[in-house]
């Protein structure tokens, strides 16, 4: 182990820097050419894409998906790709069925349970601050009423879809 460390440290830092600088210079020059070529291609592609953007927006996604599925020659695909396409089609079908079967709550449902929980909280705070209101002469039953209102709102959250 000691010999390996000595051999590792025998090369000087200057030798390493010289090798790195020549390799880095070549890599930077090559990278600059690639970046310039990519920028030129992107400019040409974006110019042609800008003129077609207005035409592409009104095509329904169903037609695009049908066209993509129709253009794939399923016989020329590998068995793994065929299984993957079949699995994807099955998953798409399941998701669509699930979406069709979902029910949603009416629009007033969420505001109602939020309002009930807030009203219950305000009721309890008012009782603690005044010790006689919101309903005078019933004492601590005001807390029970506040707790009941909050619980009704909380139970409604469990029915939220």
């Amino acid at each position: 182990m000691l010999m390996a460390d000595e051999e590792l440290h025998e090369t000087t830092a200057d030798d390493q820097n010289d090798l790195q600088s020549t390799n880095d210079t070549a890599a930077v020059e090559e990278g600059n050419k690639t970046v310039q070529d990519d920028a030129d291609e992107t400019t040409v592609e974006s110019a042609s894409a800008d003129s077609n953007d207005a035409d592409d927006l009104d095509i329904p996604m169903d037609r695009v998906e049908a066209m993509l599925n129709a253009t794939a020659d399923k016989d020329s695909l590998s068995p793994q790709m065929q299984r993957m396409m079949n699995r994807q089609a099955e998953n798409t079908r399941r998701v669509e069925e699930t979406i069709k079967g979902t029910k949603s709550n009416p629009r007033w449902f969420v505001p109602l349970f939020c309002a009930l929980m807030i009203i219950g909280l305000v009721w309890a705070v008012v009782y603690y601050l005044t010790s006689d209101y919101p309903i005078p002469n019933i004492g601590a039953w005001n807390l029970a009423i506040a707790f009941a209102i909050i619980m009704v709102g909380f139970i409604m959250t469990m029915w939220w879809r």
Side-chain angles (χ1 to χ4, degrees), residues 11-82:
T11 55
T12 63
D14 294 334
D15 293 340
Q16 290 177 358
N17 286 339
D18 289 341
L19 288 174
Q20 286 178 350
S21 64
T22 57
N23 290 340
D24 288 347
T25 305
V28 167
E29 289 174 2
E30 195 174 304
N32 287 341
K33 288 179 187 175
T34 305
V35 168
Q36 183 61 35
D37 292 342
D38 289 346
D40 292 341
E41 289 175 10
T42 304
T43 305
V44 171
E45 289 172 3
S46 65
S48 64
D50 289 342
S51 63
N52 295 333
D53 279 347
D55 298 335
D56 293 341
L57 296 177
D58 57 323
I59 297 175
M61 194 63 192
D62 295 341
R63 288 186 58 199
V64 172
E65 188 174 311
M67 181 61 92
L68 288 173
N69 288 336
T71 57
D73 185 18
K74 294 179 181 169
D75 295 333
S76 66
L77 296 175
S78 67
Q80 291 92 354
M81 290 298 291
Q82 289 176 355

Side-chain angles (χ1 to χ4, degrees), residues 89-103:
E90 178 66 20
N91 287 342
T92 303
R93 186 189 61 77
R94 285 183 189 161
V95 168
E96 289 173 354
E97 285 178 7
T98 303
I99 291 172
K100 288 178 187 173
T102 58
K103 297 177 183 177

